[in-house]
Amino acid sequence: MKSFVGDNQILISVVIAWAGAQIIKTLLTLWIDKKFVPERLIGSGGMPSSHSSTVCALAVSTAFIYTIHSFEFSISLVLAIIVMHDAMNVRLETGKQAQIINAMLKDNPFNWKGDVFEQHLKELVGHTPTQVVCGALFGIIVALIVNAVVTP
């Protein structure tokens, strides 16, 4: 399997996992909301977590190439844990805060003026645990398939 990334199966896994999750996210939005939202193709937040699919594909592919006893796998596993924790906690809370701030700015009870008070903060930036787990499973499956098909 030759592509723009050559035969680097780690990078192939990561790219396919990210792109696949973004496409699934876009298709789910189209199916559920009955509208095409191009931002879903590259945006964060939503189902499944493309961050989780990307880092899990990275970790699993790294385990295939270097084994689970390698420092490369250790680094990719720690990165995956940090990214998924951040998506479920820090970024999810950031989205909740953005919802509250947007509601406050819409009402504007203090009659604040200026461009900064007319901006709309992005609310869909984090993930629920279910979105993270689904993204992680998708990334693992992609990595298993890629590593079964591509030989180093």
Side-chain angles (χ1 to χ4, degrees):
M1 172 190 239
K2 285 284 187 184
S3 68
F4 71 95
V5 292
D7 46 356
N8 182 338
Q9 62 202 74
I10 295 174
L11 193 53
I12 292 168
S13 296
V14 168
V15 169
I16 292 172
W18 175 82
Q22 291 299 120
I23 290 168
I24 292 168
K25 192 181 302 190
T26 304
L27 293 174
L28 283 174
T29 301
L30 180 62
W31 183 52
I32 293 168
D33 297 338
K34 307 291 188 249
K35 63 181 177 180
F36 176 69
V37 181
E39 194 272 336
R40 295 286 72 216
L41 286 169
I42 57 170
S44 58
M47 171 68 97
S49 166
S50 58
H51 288 85
S52 297
S53 62
T54 301
V55 293
C56 284
L58 173 67
V60 170
S61 291
T62 301
F64 264 90
I65 302 298
Y66 298 105
T67 79
I68 62 170
H69 305 289
S70 66
F71 78 89
E72 292 92 346
F73 173 71
S74 298
I75 292 168
S76 62
L77 180 63
V78 169
L79 176 68
I81 291 167
I82 291 169
V83 167
M84 291 188 292
H85 178 271
D86 179 71
M88 283 189 300
N89 294 294
V90 178
R91 288 185 21 238
L92 184 61
E93 291 301 316
T94 299
K96 291 175 184 177
Q97 291 171 0
Q99 287 176 328
I100 293 168
I101 293 169
N102 285 336
M104 289 171 53
L105 292 176
K106 183 179 177 186
D107 294 341
N108 198 0
F110 301 108
N111 201 23
W112 291 321
K113 304 283 186 214
D115 290 343
V116 71
F117 299 111
E118 295 173 12
Q119 294 177 4
H120 182 81
L121 299 174
K122 184 176 179 188
E123 297 175 4
L124 189 57
V125 292
H127 295 283
T128 65
T130 301
Q131 293 168 341
V132 169
V133 168
C134 288
L137 291 173
F138 180 72
I140 291 167
I141 291 167
V142 166
L144 291 173
I145 291 170
V146 168
N147 285 279
V149 172
V150 178
T151 54

